[in-house]
């Protein structure tokens, strides 16, 4: 419950947000949606959980935050600037793949452990590009440029590491080959490896099954980056849900979204809604600023600001 919100054009509002529900904040542009969620609620909750934040907008008090474990604001900002970061590492699936390569006959013969197949650390990665596959050239007044590494030809690893191969569905692959697979190709080839499937499933669930496992994160669009963040939260939620089934009661996280359907096709919006429902099923809470009528219709609770923008908000 937020009491006495009066930042910008919010007129001393008392607003209740039901938890473990899909709550949508609607209203015309300028009616005060961002003021309410981004300027007042998000910073107030972030400060409640003891994290550094901008000072919250004007309000009297915030009640009921004790029922939450955390608050997360999911926007379309880029995930990271490094080409080393990619979808498979972002959702925590690469550790499982590295373990598979460490059990290959050639790995055992040479004494390679899973750490040899990391592109973030260790001596298995290419020394020139540091495992990113690209050389990062900073341009002073233009966007930075990424050039394919001349040493490893974008494959990220030393030649001797690429000699290690595993067989799936009659196909021999090294680590670079696996990183070059799309998520849907990997799901088919690794269908017998339950751990790998479970780890990459969240990427498919948010509609990014066409993305390559090793695609550098800076090359994703804003909408793709937002959905990959969502996949990361789904992967974490799957782990905590399995923990809670083992008898550990948990408080949910409150996720705040600002127009997550921007730029998405109808089919992608349907996938996004299914992913949001998965977060709800895991005991989390959602507050979404949205204009899309399908999302509004699927909501459990609406908070409509207005009737107009600016002074009449």
């Amino acid at each position: 419950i937020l009491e006495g919100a009066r930042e910008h054009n919010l007129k001393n509002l008392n607003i209740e947000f039901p938890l473990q529900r899909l709550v949508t904040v609607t209203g015309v542009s300028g009616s005060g949606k961002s003021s309410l969620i981004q300027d007042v609620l998000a910073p107030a909750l972030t400060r409640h959980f003891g994290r550094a934040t901008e000072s919250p907008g004007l309000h009297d008090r915030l009640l009921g935050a004790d029922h939450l474990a955390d608050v997360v604001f999911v926007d379309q900002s880029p995930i990271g600037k490094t080409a080393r970061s990619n979808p498979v590492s972002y959702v925590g699936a690469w550790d499982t793949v590295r373990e598979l390569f460490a059990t290959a006959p050639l790995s055992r013969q040479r004494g390679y452990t899973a750490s040899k197949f990391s592109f973030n650390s260790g001596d298995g990665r290419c020394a020139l590009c540091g495992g990113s596959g690209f050389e990062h050239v900073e341009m002073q007044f233009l966007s930075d440029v990424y050039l394919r590494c001349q040493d490893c030809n974008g494959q990220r690893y030393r030649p001797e590491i690429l000699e290690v191969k595993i067989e799936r569905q009659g196909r021999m692959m090294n680590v670079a080959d696996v990183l070059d697979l799309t998520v849907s190709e990997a799901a088919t080839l690794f269908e017998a490896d339950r751990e790998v499937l479970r780890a990459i499933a969240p990427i498919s669930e948010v509609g990014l099954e066409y993305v390559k496992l090793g695609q550098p994160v800076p090359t994703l669009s804003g909408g793709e980056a937002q959905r990959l963040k969502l996949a990361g939260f789904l992967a974490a939620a799957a782990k905590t849900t399995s923990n809670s089934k083992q008898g550990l009661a948990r408080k949910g996280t409150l996720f705040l979204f600002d127009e997550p359907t921007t730029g998405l096709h109808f089919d992608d919006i349907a996938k996004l809604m299914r992913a949001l429902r998965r977060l709800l099923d895991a005991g989390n809470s959602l507050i979404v600023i949205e204009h899309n009528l399908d999302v509004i219709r699927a909501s459990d609770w609406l908070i409509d600001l207005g009737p107009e923008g600016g002074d009449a908000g």
Side-chain angles (χ1 to χ4, degrees):
I1 301 172
L2 194 61
E3 293 187 346
R6 51 189 186 282
E7 182 73 4
H8 301 315
N9 54 349
L10 298 173
K11 298 183 172 60
N12 202 22
L13 302 179
N14 298 331
I15 299 187
E16 298 183 5
F17 301 91
L19 297 179
Q20 297 189 358
R21 295 285 181 274
L22 173 55
V23 179
T24 303
V25 181
T26 58
V28 298
S29 294
S31 58
K33 303 184 297 297
S34 296
S35 300
L36 177 64
I37 303 303
Q38 288 185 29
D39 299 345
V40 184
L41 184 65
L45 282 166
T46 306
R47 191 160 70 176
H48 169 84
F49 290 111
R51 297 203 303 272
T53 180
E54 303 162 13
S55 42
L58 296 172
H59 68 288
D60 293 332
R61 59 179 181 159
L62 176 73
L63 303 169
D66 301 335
H67 296 297
L68 296 167
D70 200 2
V71 62
V72 175
F73 191 77
V74 188
D75 57 11
Q76 292 198 0
S77 63
I79 292 173
K81 297 255 172 83
T82 168
R84 234 188 350 252
S85 180
N86 55 40
V88 73
S89 63
Y90 189 79
V91 297
W94 191 240
D95 298 345
T96 318
V97 178
R98 288 193 297 141
E99 294 291 344
L100 291 178
F101 276 97
T103 59
L106 190 58
S107 291
R108 288 185 170 152
Q109 192 181 322
R110 294 180 178 178
Y112 290 169
T113 60
S115 61
K116 279 277 186 198
F117 300 95
S118 169
F119 46 74
N120 282 319
S121 60
D123 57 358
R125 57 188 184 156
C126 167
L128 183 64
C129 65
S132 72
F134 294 88
E135 288 181 74
H136 180 195
V137 182
E138 287 192 28
M139 308 290 280
Q140 210 152 10
F141 301 110
L142 302 167
S143 298
D144 291 358
V145 173
Y146 293 91
L147 302 175
R148 189 181 292 274
C149 173
Q150 296 173 349
D151 217 12
C152 66
N153 195 28
Q155 293 193 302
R156 297 172 181 252
Y157 293 92
R158 292 172 182 266
E160 62 269 25
I161 302 297
L162 296 173
E163 288 168 8
V164 179
K165 298 193 174 184
I166 57 173
E167 187 196 351
R168 288 295 179 275
Q169 311 277 352
R171 182 172 166 184
M172 299 298 289
M173 297 178 291
N174 60 27
V175 270
D177 295 331
V178 173
L179 285 170
D180 203 40
L181 296 172
T182 64
V183 175
S184 55
E185 287 170 346
T188 307
L189 289 170
F190 288 96
E191 63 183 359
D193 301 277
R194 192 174 295 166
E195 286 299 309
V196 178
L197 269 186
R198 196 178 72 199
I200 63 173
I203 309 178
S204 292
E205 283 165 15
V206 296
L208 294 178
E209 66 285 336
Y210 57 87
V211 169
K212 290 191 173 180
L213 296 182
Q215 182 167 337
V217 157
T219 65
L220 297 174
S221 71
E224 286 171 336
Q226 186 179 39
R227 282 187 289 161
L228 185 59
K229 289 178 194 175
L230 191 53
F233 294 125
L234 283 174
K239 283 180 192 158
T240 45
T241 308
S242 61
N243 287 345
S244 59
K245 280 177 187 163
Q246 294 161 10
L248 301 171
R250 62 181 285 271
K251 294 177 179 179
T253 298
L254 173 62
F255 290 94
L256 305 172
F257 291 87
D258 186 7
E259 297 188 33
T261 63
T262 302
L264 295 190
H265 183 272
F266 299 121
D267 192 45
D268 293 326
I269 292 173
K271 289 172 182 166
L272 177 74
M273 293 308 294
R274 282 197 288 273
L276 293 180
R277 283 284 166 205
R278 286 283 306 281
L279 283 177
L280 284 178
D281 292 342
N284 300 299
S285 306
L286 302 175
I287 298 177
V288 182
I289 298 175
E290 193 53 82
H291 295 289
N292 182 285
L293 290 174
D294 291 326
V295 177
I296 294 170
R297 186 184 62 175
S299 307
D300 303 310
W301 189 269
L302 289 178
I303 294 168
D304 192 47
L305 299 178
E308 300 293 335
D311 293 343

